[in-house]
Amino acid sequence: MNPFIFPEESNSLVKKHLSQKICKLLEQLNTDSGFTLEKAIHSGLKNPDSAIGIYAGDAQSYQTFSPVFDPVILEYHGGVENLKHKSDIRELDLPVLDPEEKYILSTRIRIARNLKGFSFPCHMTLSQRRELEKKIITALSCLKGNLKWNYYSFEHADKKELKRLETKNFWFQKGDRFQDAAGINSDFPKCRGVYLSFDKQLMVWVNEEDHLRIISLEKASDLSKVYNRLCQAILALSQTLDFAWDKTYGHLTSCPTNIGTSMRAGVHIQLEKLEQKKELLFQLIKAYNLQIRGTRGEKTKIENAVFDISNSQRLGISESRIIQNLHAGLLAIIKAEKSL
Ligand code: ADP
Ligand code: ARG
């Protein structure tokens, strides 16, 4: 019998794909860092409303536990047979999406990175997190020009300064119950922090769901500008940091939903008319491979007709292609909103 009992009401992908046979095959295995199947699926077991329910504790998890990761990845990302994931991080020059600033409130692009040779955040000791934070701070200190500024450690930065960052949303909270059950919140807020560029348009979250979340953000609709800033940051950091990478799965992340480019590029866009014509909005979203999230992030509601619209594809597609698709999709959505 499967020793892991998923809640009856659970519809997670891990529950669907972890058959008794696969469970038997994997339950005694460990990665070199000691990560197990039980740890990988703990969040899915604890949270019946998990959509996915599995996390990787290190890069090797994707191989050691491939009989369960592979079908989850296949169902979430679509066909990956004979896939060689190719990265294409290069600057683009696309027209501003909403020059009159009527619809788009802000543009945000994030990518995730984990360092080769370190366990991933759900499987790290305090001393490993400390070593990693030190390494990342050294790498961040090499950023130049507009990307240069300051690292705010959640442990050591001035409390008033941290409060200010929190009210301005330049900060991340302790992870949600899904991340908590996975072990990502261990020792929070120790070894966590945020790097902010002088103009506050580049942010790097350290030791959140992944070792690094590199975020470019602006209260405007110039997608190329936001993307190009991200390209500069990631290319500069790649000079000194070695990232976990797989030729099929691309960049390896804690959650299998983020592998590939690990990129979520999107806008906060106010669509008062389309909110009343949801079927049309959903058609456009589908046609351009986009997704909708709530105004305050994942698993939140739409407030004031402000939708978070971003790419839904991450694997088997390049970063530049994601941005071009998103640009085309948003132009179509703005056109539809205007016509109503
Ligand atoms: P992820 O970091 O995986 O994209 P979330 O969906 O939870 O996860 O988003 C993280 C935070 O970024 C949330 O507070 C969300 O409201 C904010 N956010 C997302 N997109 C935008 C945007 N275009 N403009 C401003 N804030 C955004
Ligand atoms: N583990 C959660 C679930 O299965 C979240 C999955 C995607 N989100 C994320 N932040 N990785 O529903």
Side-chain angles (χ1 to χ4, degrees):
M1 212 189 88
N2 187 337
F4 305 118
I5 312 291
F6 286 91
E8 203 181 325
E9 66 273 34
S10 167
N11 286 315
S12 65
L13 292 187
V14 69
K15 179 181 174 186
K16 179 171 170 189
H17 293 293
L18 187 64
S19 65
Q20 246 172 270
K21 198 169 143 210
I22 295 180
C23 201
K24 224 172 159 41
L25 190 72
L26 303 182
E27 65 185 330
Q28 304 300 336
L29 302 184
N30 282 302
T31 62
D32 293 345
S33 74
F35 197 64
T36 59
L37 176 65
E38 187 174 4
K39 288 182 186 161
I41 66 173
H42 192 251
S43 183
L45 285 168
K46 283 271 156 182
N47 293 289
D49 53 343
S50 291
I52 315 299
I54 186 166
Y55 289 87
D58 49 25
Q60 205 191 353
S61 303
Y62 283 99
Q63 288 147 21
T64 306
F65 305 112
S66 64
V68 60
F69 271 107
D70 281 357
V72 167
I73 290 170
L74 186 71
E75 183 160 346
Y76 183 83
H77 293 278
V80 290
E81 229 174 294
N82 302 322
L83 177 77
K84 295 255 178 298
H85 181 85
K86 289 207 178 66
S87 181
D88 177 24
I89 299 184
R90 66 183 158 86
E91 298 196 14
L92 295 173
D93 183 14
L94 299 165
V96 173
L97 281 163
D98 177 22
E100 294 162 45
E101 300 183 5
K102 278 175 80 173
Y103 308 100
I104 293 183
L105 310 175
S106 54
T107 305
R108 174 182 183 267
I109 311 176
R110 63 87 167 147
I111 51 174
R113 289 289 184 272
N114 289 291
L115 267 60
K116 219 184 234 170
F118 283 85
S119 288
F120 289 0
C122 64
H123 183 52
M124 290 178 88
T125 62
L126 182 59
S127 67
Q128 287 167 335
R129 270 193 231 279
R130 186 116 15 245
E131 188 192 338
L132 182 86
E133 186 192 27
K134 229 169 112 191
K135 201 173 162 83
I136 293 175
I137 293 174
T138 308
L140 288 167
S141 66
C142 299
L143 292 178
K144 302 221 163 61
N146 284 347
L147 305 182
K148 200 169 176 62
W149 212 34
N150 215 348
Y151 179 71
Y152 299 91
S153 145
F154 290 1
E155 280 174 271
H156 306 300
D158 174 64
K159 294 282 168 287
K160 270 197 205 137
E161 189 68 49
L162 286 178
K163 193 83 216 146
R164 213 173 51 80
L165 295 180
E166 187 181 357
T167 50
K168 298 209 160 168
N169 271 334
F170 296 132
W171 143 295
F172 61 89
Q173 308 285 344
K174 196 170 177 170
D176 61 18
R177 65 192 153 83
F178 301 88
Q179 294 164 326
D180 198 68
I184 288 171
N185 289 340
S186 306
D187 300 311
F188 188 92
K190 290 189 177 143
C191 314
R192 271 65 167 200
V194 170
Y195 175 89
L196 265 186
S197 63
F198 185 66
D199 57 11
K200 302 195 173 39
Q201 291 175 339
L202 179 83
M203 234 188 300
V204 183
W205 293 354
V206 177
N207 279 327
E208 201 241 7
E209 184 175 311
D210 292 289
H211 293 154
L212 290 159
R213 285 286 176 111
I214 306 165
I215 303 159
S216 177
L217 173 73
E218 225 173 275
K219 286 200 161 77
S221 68
D222 191 343
L223 189 56
S224 293
K225 189 161 164 242
V226 175
Y227 178 61
N228 294 345
R229 180 184 307 113
L230 188 80
C231 292
Q232 287 159 22
I234 190 65
L235 294 174
L237 291 174
S238 310
Q239 304 285 313
T240 50
L241 297 173
D242 202 4
F243 299 125
W245 164 268
D246 176 89
K247 61 183 185 321
T248 302
Y249 291 151
H251 291 284
L252 298 178
T253 50
S254 295
C255 180
T257 58
N258 283 318
I259 57 168
T261 56
S262 74
M263 187 158 100
R264 198 170 79 83
V267 295
H268 272 177
I269 181 165
Q270 192 157 36
L271 301 169
E272 287 171 346
K273 305 275 178 8
L274 278 169
E275 194 185 31
Q276 309 305 318
K277 291 247 182 259
K278 291 242 176 62
E279 40 336 317
L280 174 57
L281 178 59
F282 292 152
Q283 262 174 30
L284 290 164
I285 291 288
K286 195 157 173 247
Y288 289 91
N289 291 312
L290 303 176
Q291 67 174 38
I292 295 179
R293 283 192 182 178
T295 317
R296 291 169 197 255
E298 194 177 22
K299 302 187 199 262
T300 65
K301 294 200 199 76
I302 309 293
E303 295 170 24
N304 257 334
V306 176
F307 294 77
D308 170 343
I309 297 186
S310 62
N311 58 299
S312 66
Q313 292 170 294
R314 284 186 242 294
L315 180 65
I317 180 170
S318 73
E319 293 81 357
S320 305
R321 175 55 58 196
I322 286 177
I323 298 297
Q324 285 159 336
N325 288 353
L326 174 71
H327 190 270
L330 289 169
L331 283 180
I333 289 170
I334 292 172
K335 191 170 167 204
E337 174 76 6
K338 276 185 180 163
S339 73
L340 289 170

